[in-house]
Amino acid sequence: MDPEQKNPQTQPVTPFLMESPPGPETVINGRPRLYFGGVSYYGLHASPDLMKAGCDAWQRLGLGTATTRSGMGTAPIHLEVESAAARFFGVEDAAYMASGYLSNTAGVQALHAIGAFDAIFVDRQAHLCIGDAALSTGVPVHRFAHLDPDDLGAQLKQNLSSGQTPLVMSDGLFPTLGRIAPLPDYLEVLKPYGGLVWLDDAHPVGILGPNGRGTADYFGVTSERVFSGGTLSKAFGGFGGIVPGPADFLGRVRSGPVMIAASPTPSPVAAATFVGLELVAAHPEWRQQLWNNARALKDGLRRLGLEVDRTEVPIAAFSLESAETMHQVHSRLFERDIAIQYSHYPGAGADGVLRAVVFSTHTTDQIERLIDELGRLI
């Protein structure tokens, strides 16, 4: 494991108790706070439409099917989510499962079952779910330097035998610093090997690309060599994992252990998720507003002399001179009823980073208040 990939269980846990749905203003520890700490990118976790759909489904279908989908555990709403997801992603089919974390395992095991690759190459800062998915296949797993196509090429030459096919696994959007995997460069490096790419698109789906379909959409890549899994618990305001793709591949996903052995999402959750998918599909202007807010946040941070990228990714992470300083700034912002994250997640480095995430539903005044208060502290 990379030294920066500390086990989250070993990190100190501060009891930030969320007592309302995440939104621009969220009740934390008994007080309303201006909230830049989560990933409800369109504020749908507080949507009355999603809540009503969940309550109606609970009354109609109960909490869940109390069995797996391989038994007699498919409710109509699970199939509706899959149809809505396939429409959203513009593909033949989509498989809906218990969590986004499991979507990578389900998809990669399906590729392994058809003999699509012989070895896996993983970005050193990839999410823990990527590591678990890779190890579950039993094939050799190698790591390459973070976001580095050149090192990937070197690792391929060093570790592949003649005729072997590689699979590259990476986050599409790395959540700590908001950096996007260089998908076109990876595909170019893989050409001589006929290799494949698997992306954990948990964060990009719904927010990146002209259609909101994630990393490949962002780069304009349409390739049969690119596969992905994602979550519906962020941009879409729901819950559960999704694997979109060709129908024959999805058949393999559904016959694998994740979907055979794991219980499906509760029916009320699936119903809310369906509405979230439909709303995001119907409101592309939300995505444009999210990008506008991302630029406003990052422009403001740069005015303070902080180094942040210029992408439309709604995640802005930055470092100050020491861990002690970042802890103090984080605490003082919270005392002023502004919540951002002090993150020690993979990619944050030994001292961590301060991380602010903007929603489409934040106002200009709210963004400026964060910038003003932060400016007073640094």
Side-chain angles (χ1 to χ4, degrees):
M1 178 177 287
D2 190 273
E4 287 191 343
Q5 286 194 304
K6 302 173 183 177
N7 186 336
Q9 293 181 351
T10 70
Q11 303 304 306
V13 177
T14 305
F16 296 121
L17 301 179
M18 294 179 63
E19 300 169 83
S20 71
E25 190 173 81
T26 303
V27 179
I28 303 175
N29 293 2
R31 293 174 57 88
R33 321 272 180 170
L34 185 56
Y35 184 65
F36 291 91
V39 288
S40 184
Y41 294 118
Y42 302 122
L44 289 176
H45 293 81
S47 166
D49 292 330
L50 270 69
M51 293 180 190
K52 182 179 185 304
C55 291
D56 289 348
W58 199 326
Q59 291 181 323
R60 188 174 74 255
L61 299 170
L63 180 60
T65 57
T67 185
T68 64
R69 286 185 63 165
S70 63
M72 300 180 70
T74 302
I77 189 59
H78 297 126
L79 303 182
E80 291 172 25
V81 170
E82 291 179 336
S83 295
R87 290 193 298 272
F88 182 86
F89 289 102
V91 293
E92 291 180 333
D93 199 359
Y96 179 46
M97 61 203 68
S99 76
Y101 196 103
L102 290 173
S103 67
N104 302 286
T105 297
V108 170
Q109 287 182 350
L111 289 174
H112 184 241
I114 60 176
F117 58 86
D118 303 291
I120 297 177
F121 295 79
V122 177
D123 185 294
R124 286 192 182 276
Q125 292 185 14
H127 193 277
L128 299 173
C129 64
I130 289 286
D132 284 351
L135 291 173
S136 76
T137 65
V139 307
V141 177
H142 310 280
R143 292 189 176 270
F144 63 93
H146 182 47
L147 300 173
D148 191 337
D150 292 334
D151 189 58
L152 170 61
Q155 294 295 327
L156 292 170
K157 289 179 182 178
Q158 179 178 334
N159 293 291
L160 281 180
S161 300
S162 177
Q164 287 190 319
T165 302
L167 171 69
V168 170
M169 297 186 69
S170 171
D171 297 36
L173 170 61
F174 286 81
T176 302
L177 301 181
R179 293 172 180 164
I180 303 171
L183 176 60
D185 295 336
Y186 290 165
L187 288 171
E188 188 65 27
V189 171
L190 286 168
K191 266 185 182 178
Y193 305 94
L196 310 175
V197 175
W198 180 275
L199 296 173
D200 173 20
D201 249 8
H203 286 266
V205 292
I207 71 168
L208 286 189
N211 303 293
R213 292 171 180 167
T215 306
D217 190 30
Y218 175 82
F219 286 110
V221 168
T222 55
S223 172
E224 295 180 352
R225 295 190 291 143
V226 177
F227 297 83
S228 66
T231 183
L232 302 173
S233 67
K234 302 185 190 306
F236 301 100
F239 196 80
I242 200 75
V243 177
D248 56 350
F249 170 63
L250 269 299
R252 286 285 187 171
V253 172
R254 290 194 180 93
S255 65
V258 168
M259 294 197 70
I260 286 178
S263 298
T265 55
S267 299
V269 171
T273 300
F274 170 79
V275 173
L277 273 162
E278 294 285 272
L279 286 174
V280 174
H283 292 282
E285 73 277 9
W286 293 353
R287 191 159 56 253
Q288 185 61 57
Q289 184 59 49
L290 181 67
W291 298 345
N292 292 343
N293 283 358
R295 286 190 288 268
L297 172 64
K298 293 178 179 182
D299 287 347
L301 293 173
R302 281 193 294 272
R303 289 199 306 269
L304 300 180
L306 299 170
E307 294 185 9
V308 292
D309 66 62
R310 296 180 181 273
T311 70
E312 56 212 13
V313 173
I315 298 168
F318 53 92
S319 299
L320 301 177
E321 58 264 28
S322 67
E324 181 181 1
T325 299
M326 287 188 283
H327 176 72
Q328 290 175 351
V329 168
H330 179 260
S331 297
R332 289 173 183 171
L333 281 174
F334 196 70
E335 290 168 1
R336 300 177 189 193
D337 294 331
I338 299 177
I340 66 172
Q341 186 182 15
Y342 182 21
S343 175
H344 292 273
Y345 215 59
D351 288 343
V353 295
L354 293 175
R355 179 176 179 268
V357 182
V358 73
F359 303 162
S360 66
T361 46
H362 279 111
T363 67
T364 300
D365 287 346
Q366 289 171 330
I367 296 169
E368 285 301 316
R369 184 183 165 207
L370 169 61
I371 300 302
D372 290 345
E373 294 287 1
L374 185 59
R376 291 187 178 97
L377 294 172
I378 64 173

